[in-house]
Amino acid sequence: MGKNLKGKELGKNIIQRKDGRYQGRYIDRFGKRKSVYGETLNDVRKLLRDKEYENSRNLNSSDETITVDQWYSVWRDTFKVNKCRNTTLESYDRIFRLKISPEIGNMKMIKVLPIHLQRIINKADAKGTRELIRAVLTNLFKYAVASEVVAKNPALNLDIRRIDDEDSEATFLTDDEIQIIMKYSENSCIKNIYRLILQTGMRIGEVTGLTWDNIDYEKNVIHVVQQLVTTKDPKTKKWVLEVHKPKSKAGIRDIPMTKETKEILRELREDKDVIKFPKNSEFVFATRNNTPQYRASISKLSDRIRDKIRQDYPDFKNFSPHSFRHTFATKMIAAGVKPKVLQKIIGHNQIQTTMDLYCHVYDDQIYEAMDTFENMA
């Protein structure tokens, strides 16, 4: 039994120190001896009750000193290396280094609260950046809970929405907008990339990774079996192009060719030499210097086309090569194609992804729906 400075018994595992403060000792569920301190006896008794509750509910941490930076390294090397693609790992590293670590890297894991993480989300402008930050944080703390580094996951209810997101999602292009884009990209190599995506709904990496042996004229389909990705060589630290399989099993698919698709391919085949990359594999799209198309270069070129358009149309909406995939899918839905069929064509794993991303409604569809309703009366 511990005693105070006057010799009065205070109870089990509680003493009064020479400086007048009270100290309580306990053993946590990991077998470690710990202490709590308070200005009054009641303070220490309450702290001990709290620790006893945490022990009984498995709410305490196995390591209360580990920081977010330190845990990220553990999480990355233990749970992610060899379990996801290098490109995915690079995106995790980049978003952590630029957005997360500067804000909470030195904080102890057990001290991180939802408000700290929400502030990181709020500082990111692009919706895609906010989504990636949330994904990394949620998974980072998920494994921290499983490893008993923290008791709860503070990233579970992060809100990435913004009042201006509705405008940023307006990547569907109208026929008039497409016509303008094609006009301003007339002398650019990106025009045929736009055209092919608009006819097939392929991802930009799938288009740049397309080879002539993927074009099956006999069956009248494009075999989507690979994509071209940019990744950093771990030895040289230089960016290199690699051929990977599509994002998922659903990404491996056959897309029937339209007349326009075959015309685009005919023009490409006749008008330019094709590059051998890798050996014995002819890529459909290549630069004027006969080198592979980097996704970053295509994005920059698309931005220049947009800026050129805005000189004449200042309010022209933002767009990217992905906007043409978005437009393809939306037009398919508007044409009456069933979502399950569209899911197969564009290579989504989950039907809900297809529904959430591409099932837009045209203004004229609203009027048609009301006319149908009125005629039923």
Side-chain angles (χ1 to χ4, degrees), residues 353-371:
T353 304
T354 309
M355 297 293 292
D356 290 344
L357 290 178
Y358 300 125
C359 290
H360 296 284
V361 178
Y362 292 92
D363 287 342
D364 56 357
Q365 287 180 307
I366 297 175
Y367 288 100
E368 289 174 6
M370 294 306 295
D371 287 342

Side-chain angles (χ1 to χ4, degrees), residues 321-337:
H322 187 77
S323 302
F324 291 86
R325 170 175 162 87
H326 197 97
T327 301
F328 165 84
T330 304
K331 282 177 171 287
M332 292 286 275
I333 290 292
V337 175

Side-chain angles (χ1 to χ4, degrees), residues 1-254:
M1 300 289 283
K3 298 181 179 180
N4 64 11
L5 296 179
K6 296 180 179 180
K8 182 179 178 180
E9 292 186 353
L10 302 176
K12 187 178 180 180
N13 297 326
I14 300 178
I15 63 170
Q16 187 176 24
R17 295 158 51 95
K18 291 182 179 180
D19 61 5
R21 298 172 67 213
Y22 291 85
Q23 177 182 354
R25 296 189 179 97
Y26 70 99
I27 298 176
D28 69 14
R29 63 192 176 96
F30 305 104
K32 295 181 180 180
R33 293 183 178 275
K34 300 287 184 68
S35 295
V36 293
Y37 302 90
E39 296 297 327
T40 68
L41 179 60
N42 285 336
D43 289 342
V44 170
R45 284 174 174 168
K46 182 179 184 304
L47 289 171
L48 286 176
R49 287 196 300 270
D50 290 344
K51 295 301 179 182
E52 182 180 352
Y53 177 83
E54 290 175 1
N55 265 340
S56 65
R57 297 293 192 278
N58 296 336
L59 297 179
N60 42 10
S61 170
S62 62
D63 187 349
E64 297 181 353
T65 64
I66 191 169
T67 66
V68 176
D69 278 347
Q70 291 169 338
W71 175 248
Y72 179 82
S73 296
V74 174
W75 171 78
R76 181 190 188 279
D77 296 341
T78 306
F79 302 109
K80 294 302 168 183
V81 170
N82 298 325
K83 294 179 176 64
C84 61
R85 292 179 176 175
N86 288 339
T87 50
T88 302
L89 202 57
E90 287 163 5
S91 68
Y92 290 165
D93 289 343
R94 183 170 58 254
I95 207 71
F96 184 82
R97 183 181 70 254
L98 297 177
K99 302 295 184 180
I100 300 174
S101 181
E103 301 294 331
I104 60 171
N106 292 326
M107 287 184 67
K108 290 182 173 60
M109 287 287 288
I110 61 170
K111 297 293 185 182
V112 177
L113 300 174
I115 191 171
H116 298 131
L117 307 185
Q118 188 62 56
R119 285 170 179 163
I120 298 174
I121 295 286
N122 294 348
K123 288 184 178 181
D125 291 328
K127 184 180 180 183
T129 302
R130 281 176 268 140
E131 289 174 340
L132 183 55
I133 292 172
R134 181 175 64 177
V136 171
L137 289 173
T138 302
N139 202 265
L140 184 73
F141 281 93
K142 170 187 173 182
Y143 281 98
V145 172
S147 302
E148 298 186 331
V149 173
V150 296
K152 297 180 180 179
N153 188 339
L156 287 180
N157 296 307
L158 295 177
D159 190 351
I160 65 169
R161 295 172 298 175
R162 276 193 180 180
I163 194 169
D164 56 350
D165 277 344
E166 186 174 350
D167 292 335
S168 67
E169 292 176 357
T171 53
F172 169 76
L173 300 169
T174 65
D175 290 342
D176 288 342
E177 289 165 342
I178 292 171
Q179 188 174 358
I180 291 172
I181 294 171
M182 293 303 175
K183 176 183 176 182
Y184 281 78
S185 59
E186 183 63 42
N187 298 318
S188 172
C189 61
I190 202 172
K191 180 177 180 179
N192 281 327
I193 292 178
Y194 289 157
R195 292 172 66 199
L196 188 62
I197 297 176
L198 195 59
Q199 289 296 313
T200 62
M202 294 170 67
R203 299 178 177 92
I204 184 62
E206 295 168 345
V207 170
T208 56
L210 186 64
T211 56
W212 288 108
D213 56 6
N214 299 147
I215 312 301
D216 191 335
Y217 288 102
E218 184 176 338
K219 294 183 178 179
N220 197 44
V221 297
I222 294 176
H223 301 297
V224 182
V225 296
Q226 62 191 31
Q227 61 177 336
L228 199 62
V229 300
T230 309
T231 184
K232 185 176 287 187
D233 188 301
K235 294 182 180 179
T236 65
K237 304 300 181 182
K238 293 182 178 179
W239 292 100
V240 295
L241 284 173
E242 292 182 354
V243 176
H244 289 190
K245 291 182 179 179
K247 291 178 66 176
S248 64
K249 289 183 179 180
I252 300 175
R253 61 201 189 278
D254 289 343

